[in-house]
């Protein structure tokens, strides 16, 4: 795995996720059954954009990647209650949670590799 290219890609993905969480906030929260979390999800969008900018604008993005890991943990904690049986959007919430867990794993791997290299 080319860590530098992967981290840059994560930076761009972070910007895209953040934009979606801010600009399509109502659709995102509705699709997950988290309508009561609109402001929180919007703040997560800001977090994603700041992380993306941080990753893309520095030569040493290790701390920004570890910040993404922390954000992934917050995302999991936010999505977990949406898995309740009475949520009609439970399937979408499960899909989102699976995606976040996958991204979390990639973020951890990249952050660890950055810790081990001079690039990070």
């Amino acid at each position: 795995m080319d860590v530098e290219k992967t981290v840059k890609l994560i930076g761009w993905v972070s910007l895209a996720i953040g934009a979606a969480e801010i600009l399509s906030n109502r659709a995102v929260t509705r699709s997950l059954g988290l309508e009561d979390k609109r402001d929180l999800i919007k703040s997560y969008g800001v977090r994603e954009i700041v992380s993306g900018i941080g990753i893309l604008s520095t030569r040493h993005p290790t701390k920004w990647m570890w910040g993404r890991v922390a954000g992934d943990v917050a995302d999991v904690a936010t999505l977990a209650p949406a898995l309740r049986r009475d949520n009609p959007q439970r399937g979408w919430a499960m899909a989102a949670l699976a995606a976040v867990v996958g991204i979390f794993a990639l973020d951890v791997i990249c952050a660890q590799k950055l810790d081990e290299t001079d690039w990070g």
Side-chain angles (χ1 to χ4, degrees):
M1 168 175 37
D2 184 332
V3 177
E4 184 174 351
K5 287 181 182 176
T6 303
V7 169
K8 292 295 182 186
L9 177 62
I10 289 170
W12 287 109
V13 168
S14 202
L15 293 175
I17 291 169
E21 288 176 328
I22 293 169
L23 300 174
S24 299
N25 183 268
R26 186 180 305 270
V28 169
T29 56
R30 190 177 318 143
S31 70
L32 300 171
L34 293 172
E35 293 91 342
D36 61 327
K37 304 277 189 231
R38 285 189 65 213
D39 290 339
L40 180 62
I41 301 300
K42 197 174 282 191
S43 73
Y44 287 179
V46 172
R47 178 198 76 212
E48 288 284 357
I49 290 172
V50 169
S51 293
I53 291 169
I55 289 167
L56 295 169
S57 67
T58 184
R59 298 173 74 195
H60 304 286
T62 307
K63 291 177 182 167
W64 289 104
M65 285 304 300
W66 283 116
R68 277 195 47 81
V69 170
D72 295 337
V73 172
D75 293 342
V76 168
T78 301
L79 285 166
L83 301 180
R84 66 189 187 281
R85 294 198 186 280
D86 66 336
N87 179 4
Q89 303 301 328
R90 184 174 187 226
W92 286 110
M94 286 176 136
L97 184 58
V100 168
V101 168
I103 291 167
F104 170 75
L106 183 61
D107 287 348
V108 168
I109 290 166
C110 287
Q112 288 175 334
K113 287 192 179 289
L114 288 174
D115 275 343
E116 297 168 0
T117 65
D118 290 336
W119 188 73

